[in-house]
Amino acid sequence: MKRPIDVIAVGADQAHPKKEKNEPEPPATYETAIVACGFGKFHYMLLLGLIPMCAAQLFSSGSVGLALPSAQCDLQLEDFQKGALNGATYLGNLMSGLVWGGVSDVFGRRNIIVLCFLADFLVSLACGFATSYEVLLVLKVLAGVIIAGPNSVLFAYLAEVNDNEHRSMSIMMNGMGFAFAQILQPVLAYFLLPLTFRLELVPGVMELTSWRVFFLACAVPSLVSGLMFIALPESPKFLMSKGRHEDALRAFERIYATNTGCDPATYPIKSLDICVAPILDGKKPNSLQRAVAQFSPLFRKPFLARMLLLVALQVNIMICINSLRLWTPQLFAMLEQFEVGSWQGKPEASNTCQMISAVLDRPVDSAFGVNGTVAAEAAARTAVDRAVGPCEVVSGDVYLRSVLVGAVGTTSFVFTGWASKRFGNRPLMLGSFPLAMVTSVGMLWAVDSDMFTGLLAVFTPLTAVGLTSLSAILVDLFPTSLRGVSVSVALICGRAASLSGNLILPVLLNISCDALFIFITVCLAVCSVLVWFVPKKKDVDL
């Protein structure tokens, strides 16, 4: 009985010998090729590199807000000028936000990221040597134009060098990178900005001070990120979309070799299924035609109402988050000036707004001191000096409070991930917006700077939870073909809101400190009402 079985087995092995040996492997799709690269050292290095990359992007918008309490006198800044500087980066983002995506589709993800980070490094260095408000304003707008590149393109690069299993995790780690950077920048400010040295660089024109050193330090993450990306391969998916078969294969091989430690020649994929955009009637669709085709469905039923609702939510929450975030160091400095300062006719105050108003309304010719020390030049202040505010050295406590608020704010990333699965994104917004509104009212009536800091530390994660949940809902309420453009529209409107908020806030502050917090409260009240009209995912027909 054994012999026939052996014969049959041999016959089966020899039945199709040529098919097994000579038939070529079918070309691999992008997903098959990226899965074959594995997940290892390359991806761990990239995730670690997200720290300086995210820091570079956050430092670009946040550096001015932290430096203003120290820089306001050197640059003779009025309150509206401070708001304009805080919003300048967002103006730059608006000017170029939609451009970088198209540019990266032509020149590549890696090339644009390297160019933007290195250019941002040079512009950030120049900010440290700005001699006037006008020069610093132009530089910050330019920085916003440049840093919008990595803001837009980095997400695409992360998605394109990870397989489907790890893609969401890499995007989440990008959020954690921003959370870490939110702590790192005020820590940097805590160690640098309270320093009192002044070194003359250009006689009669420029002195090297702590705020200038702070700007120079904030440029370092951009340099590190740019140099790091030089060593990384181009996105293989981008190369495949351009029909560059050999370059794409080399990129896959580099990722594979870094992850496994094996020779690139042992990469199992030898050919790729290249898909190039189709040519219709002998012509490729131009950028304008593609843009119209992508955006036009958003302005028709059933998506128009959803888009308007979500944009309204995005605008109101971004005003609350970014305008108040960039002004908190200034508010902390004012509270400190009231609590430890002394001047003739200093009034009593029972809440934070009365303290802030007392500092803003201090008579021009009054002497101002900290811990009993009277500034010799205070009596000679000019009308411009009145608008600028007290020119005193800001203590480290101001920035330590910012560190505390940033550290508590990072908890929102951990909490939101768990809570969104447990309760859903819509219930999170239904809870976070009203609670944030209550804390904004509490900040209006806080009795001292410690209570104000504690309420702000609660306010920050609550608004962050609301914004994160809104972003998730934005993805859920639109089909795959419209998710990218819907997110782009929401981001543009959010940046416009951040710019507007930073211009409106100093105007309200000069009218009344109460008006500032009432404005924030009203924005959150609008969010608390609008969120009830957000449809549930199960009720949406995509």
Side-chain angles (χ1 to χ4, degrees):
M1 294 295 293
K2 293 182 180 179
R3 187 61 180 172
I5 294 175
D6 291 339
V7 172
I8 292 172
V10 172
D13 291 338
Q14 294 178 349
H16 304 286
K18 291 184 179 179
K19 183 176 180 180
E20 292 187 359
K21 292 182 179 180
N22 298 333
E23 183 178 355
E25 291 288 335
T29 63
Y30 157 76
E31 194 63 36
T32 302
I34 197 67
V35 168
C37 293
F39 188 89
K41 186 178 178 182
F42 171 84
H43 297 93
Y44 296 136
M45 292 170 58
L46 182 59
L47 292 177
L48 183 63
L50 286 176
I51 295 176
M53 293 178 208
C54 294
Q57 296 172 69
L58 189 70
F59 284 17
S60 182
S61 62
S63 58
V64 171
L66 288 165
L68 280 179
S70 298
Q72 60 180 346
C73 286
D74 285 345
L75 299 177
Q76 292 293 289
L77 298 175
E78 299 181 11
D79 285 337
F80 185 79
Q81 292 174 324
K82 297 173 189 176
L85 286 173
N86 276 331
T89 303
Y90 296 107
L91 175 60
N93 291 162
L94 280 173
M95 293 167 62
S96 66
L98 288 177
V99 175
W100 287 116
V103 172
S104 70
D105 287 340
V106 176
F107 297 102
R109 319 289 193 225
R110 170 184 168 274
N111 295 334
I112 294 302
I113 292 173
V114 169
L115 173 66
C116 288
F117 274 133
L118 294 182
D120 184 67
F121 167 69
L122 296 177
V123 173
S124 297
L125 285 182
C127 288
F129 298 101
T131 56
S132 67
Y133 158 73
E134 292 79 11
V135 172
L136 185 57
L137 181 67
V138 171
L139 289 173
K140 293 308 293 183
V141 171
L142 181 58
V145 170
I146 293 170
I147 206 64
N151 278 340
S152 302
V153 182
L154 185 57
F155 279 105
Y157 186 89
L158 287 173
E160 292 170 3
V161 296
N162 281 279
D163 57 36
N164 192 52
E165 181 183 352
H166 298 95
R167 200 162 289 141
S168 297
M169 183 271 292
S170 68
I171 301 299
M172 183 187 70
M173 291 302 295
N174 188 65
M176 292 299 294
F178 277 106
F180 182 80
Q182 197 171 350
I183 302 174
L184 181 61
Q185 192 172 32
V187 167
L188 198 62
Y190 173 76
F191 286 106
L192 292 178
L193 289 175
L195 300 177
T196 59
F197 65 88
R198 303 185 76 89
L199 303 176
E200 195 169 51
L201 295 179
V202 181
V205 177
M206 184 190 302
E207 293 179 319
L208 182 65
T209 57
S210 60
W211 67 267
R212 295 187 185 278
V213 174
F214 176 69
F215 273 131
L216 299 180
C218 286
V220 174
S222 294
L223 176 63
V224 173
S225 301
L227 295 177
M228 175 186 165
F229 250 96
I230 291 176
L232 295 178
E234 178 56 271
S235 160
K237 189 168 187 179
F238 164 77
L239 296 171
M240 289 177 69
S241 70
K242 294 298 180 181
R244 294 164 59 180
H245 179 278
E246 292 301 320
D247 291 337
L249 201 55
R250 299 291 86 77
F252 281 123
E253 289 175 352
R254 282 186 61 184
I255 297 173
Y256 167 81
T258 306
N259 282 340
T260 64
C262 299
D263 191 298
T266 62
Y267 180 58
I269 305 298
K270 301 303 179 184
S271 64
L272 300 170
D273 183 9
I274 299 293
C275 295
V276 183
I279 298 177
L280 302 176
D281 299 326
K283 294 182 179 180
K284 290 184 178 180
N286 58 41
S287 299
L288 179 60
Q289 290 172 330
R290 289 197 299 266
V292 170
Q294 284 181 312
F295 280 88
S296 58
L298 285 179
F299 300 96
R300 297 195 296 264
K301 292 182 178 181
F303 303 116
L304 178 59
R306 296 178 202 170
M307 194 72 246
L308 292 176
L309 176 62
L310 295 177
V311 163
L313 283 165
Q314 181 91 356
V315 165
N316 280 279
I317 193 62
M318 290 297 280
I319 286 176
C320 297
I321 291 177
N322 282 330
S323 57
L324 195 58
R325 174 178 71 90
L326 296 177
W327 273 85
T328 48
Q330 193 75 20
L331 296 177
F332 284 150
M334 291 178 183
L335 292 175
E336 180 188 62
Q337 288 163 4
F338 181 88
E339 291 178 339
V340 303
S342 61
W343 63 88
Q344 186 177 359
K346 178 182 176 181
E348 296 293 327
S350 60
N351 60 57
T352 52
C353 263
Q354 291 179 2
M355 298 177 195
I356 292 171
S357 297
V359 172
L360 290 173
D361 296 336
R362 180 173 63 86
V364 175
D365 58 351
S366 66
F368 180 89
V370 176
N371 292 330
T373 303
V374 179
E377 68 272 21
R381 295 177 56 160
T382 64
V384 174
D385 293 329
R386 164 65 186 86
V388 168
C391 296
E392 302 297 329
V393 176
V394 180
S395 75
D397 288 344
V398 168
Y399 303 107
L400 196 58
R401 294 179 187 276
S402 297
V403 173
L404 174 64
V405 172
V408 175
T410 59
T411 61
S412 63
F413 288 94
V414 178
F415 172 78
T416 306
W418 169 80
S420 63
K421 294 180 180 179
R422 180 70 176 82
F423 304 107
N425 292 303
R426 188 172 179 272
L428 281 182
M429 290 198 298
L430 288 171
S432 62
F433 290 146
L435 289 174
M437 181 178 66
V438 172
T439 58
S440 68
V441 174
M443 285 188 283
L444 176 64
W445 296 101
V447 297
D448 56 27
S449 59
D450 291 337
M451 185 176 178
F452 180 82
T453 304
L455 288 168
L456 186 61
V458 175
F459 175 89
T460 300
L462 285 173
T463 51
V465 167
L467 180 61
T468 305
S469 302
L470 177 61
S471 301
I473 284 180
L474 187 65
V475 172
D476 288 339
L477 295 185
F478 292 92
T480 303
S481 59
L482 291 178
R483 283 173 185 168
V485 293
S486 63
V487 170
S488 297
V489 170
L491 285 175
I492 291 171
C493 294
R495 289 166 179 169
S498 299
L499 171 62
S500 302
N502 277 287
L503 295 177
I504 293 171
L505 192 146
V507 175
L508 295 175
L509 189 61
N510 279 309
I511 294 173
S512 167
C513 174
D514 293 349
L516 187 158
F517 290 101
I518 291 173
F519 175 66
I520 297 294
T521 302
V522 169
C523 288
L524 288 168
V526 171
C527 290
S528 300
V529 173
L530 289 179
V531 70
W532 285 97
F533 296 94
V534 175
K536 298 178 182 179
K537 183 179 180 181
K538 65 178 182 179
D539 298 330
V540 175
D541 183 14
L542 299 181

CSV table of all heavy atoms in Angstrom, one decimal, residues 430 445 537:
chain,number,residue,atom,x,y,z
A,430,LEU,N,-20.9,66.9,25.0
A,430,LEU,CA,-22.1,67.3,25.8
A,430,LEU,C,-21.7,67.6,27.3
A,430,LEU,O,-22.3,68.4,27.9
A,430,LEU,CB,-23.2,66.3,25.8
A,430,LEU,CG,-23.9,66.1,24.5
A,430,LEU,CD1,-24.8,64.9,24.5
A,430,LEU,CD2,-24.8,67.4,24.2
A,445,TRP,N,-14.2,85.1,38.8
A,445,TRP,CA,-14.4,85.4,40.2
A,445,TRP,C,-13.4,84.7,41.2
A,445,TRP,O,-13.5,84.7,42.4
A,445,TRP,CB,-15.8,84.9,40.7
A,445,TRP,CG,-16.9,85.7,40.0
A,445,TRP,CD1,-17.7,85.3,39.0
A,445,TRP,CD2,-17.3,87.0,40.3
A,445,TRP,NE1,-18.6,86.2,38.6
A,445,TRP,CE2,-18.4,87.3,39.3
A,445,TRP,CE3,-16.9,88.0,41.2
A,445,TRP,CZ2,-19.0,88.6,39.3
A,445,TRP,CZ3,-17.6,89.2,41.2
A,445,TRP,CH2,-18.6,89.5,40.2
A,537,LYS,N,-23.7,59.2,15.0
A,537,LYS,CA,-23.1,58.5,13.9
A,537,LYS,C,-24.0,57.4,13.3
A,537,LYS,O,-24.1,57.3,12.1
A,537,LYS,CB,-21.8,57.8,14.3
A,537,LYS,CG,-21.0,57.1,13.2
A,537,LYS,CD,-19.7,56.5,13.7
A,537,LYS,CE,-19.0,55.8,12.5
A,537,LYS,NZ,-17.8,55.1,13.0
